[in-house]
Amino acid sequence: MTATTGGFEVTGRRPLIGVSTYLETGARWGVWELEAALLPAGYPRLVQRAGGLAVMLPPDVPEHAAATVARLDAVVIAGGPDVDPARYGARRDPRTGPAAAERDTWELALIDAALTARVPLLGICRGMQLLNVALGGTLVQHLDGHAEMVGVFGEHAVSPVAGTRYAELVPEATSVPTYHHQAVDRLGEGLIVSARAADGTAEALELPADAGWVLGVQWHPEMGTDVRVMRGVVEAAGG
């Protein structure tokens, strides 16, 4: 069966892409205010536009991560709150946001399971930072100029590094939706920088091809119109 999605054809089975979620204590909708697993709609819509089927992966006990990943064709670690500095052995900067311990634990387990099983893995914003931490890297806890206003996405240019997977997907410099105040400091084991901002900030990370399909981007592709990064995940998942 062939269908058209986002201007390109999807042939045959659509890969199942799991996307991690927020866990919020005071979410409100209708007459309700309850604890809820949340995911901005841009994430599943981007997966769908790229030709995949999206499923939500709310926080669970880490022992369930391997079984969860085994049922998926790819994993996306979504953006969200700051990673707890204790995860990379640093003292908390006053400008670092509150820890999300349950989410940190679950998503680190998902990353480990995906890497072990060689399931395609994409980290978005926080997800890229957590990938770096999972592999022994550290973070800059505050960075000016990459979040213009509280609660408002900005844009800035990123340039690919020649010879990388990201450069194969997006060979030209592009303007991307961005909202972050932290960044990669020391690279995790095996990771290479595959895109940078004009100020030199690492904007994409990846593992070499022999380690599987693993990519992290510091920006928010779910807030834009360019599906090429997510399409790369979907194509890798379908392979």
Side-chain angles (χ1 to χ4, degrees), residues 80-102:
D82 295 341
V83 179
D84 187 348
R87 299 283 182 175
Y88 48 95
R91 292 183 178 179
R92 177 175 295 275
D93 185 291
R95 295 166 293 186
T96 294
E102 193 170 1

Side-chain angles (χ1 to χ4, degrees), residues 81-125:
D82 295 341
V83 179
D84 187 348
R87 299 283 182 175
Y88 48 95
R91 292 183 178 179
R92 177 175 295 275
D93 185 291
R95 295 166 293 186
T96 294
E102 193 170 1
R103 189 170 170 191
D104 283 354
T105 299
W106 172 238
E107 291 179 346
L108 284 167
L110 287 175
I111 289 170
D112 180 67
L115 293 175
T116 299
R118 297 177 67 89
V119 170
L121 173 64
L122 172 65
I124 293 177
C125 197

Side-chain angles (χ1 to χ4, degrees), residues 12-108:
R13 173 181 173 274
R14 288 174 177 261
L16 188 64
I17 314 297
V19 187
S20 66
T21 77
Y22 291 77
L23 186 64
E24 297 295 325
T25 57
R28 297 184 64 183
W29 68 99
V31 299
W32 305 104
E33 183 171 350
L34 297 169
E35 185 177 27
L38 298 177
L39 187 65
Y43 288 99
R45 286 174 180 161
L46 181 61
V47 171
Q48 292 157 2
R49 286 162 49 211
L53 298 174
V55 294
M56 294 171 61
L57 305 177
D60 201 340
V61 294
E63 292 80 11
H64 293 170
T68 300
V69 169
R71 300 185 183 194
L72 301 170
D73 297 308
V75 174
V76 176
I77 305 298
D82 295 341
V83 179
D84 187 348
R87 299 283 182 175
Y88 48 95
R91 292 183 178 179
R92 177 175 295 275
D93 185 291
R95 295 166 293 186
T96 294
E102 193 170 1
R103 189 170 170 191
D104 283 354
T105 299
W106 172 238
E107 291 179 346
L108 284 167

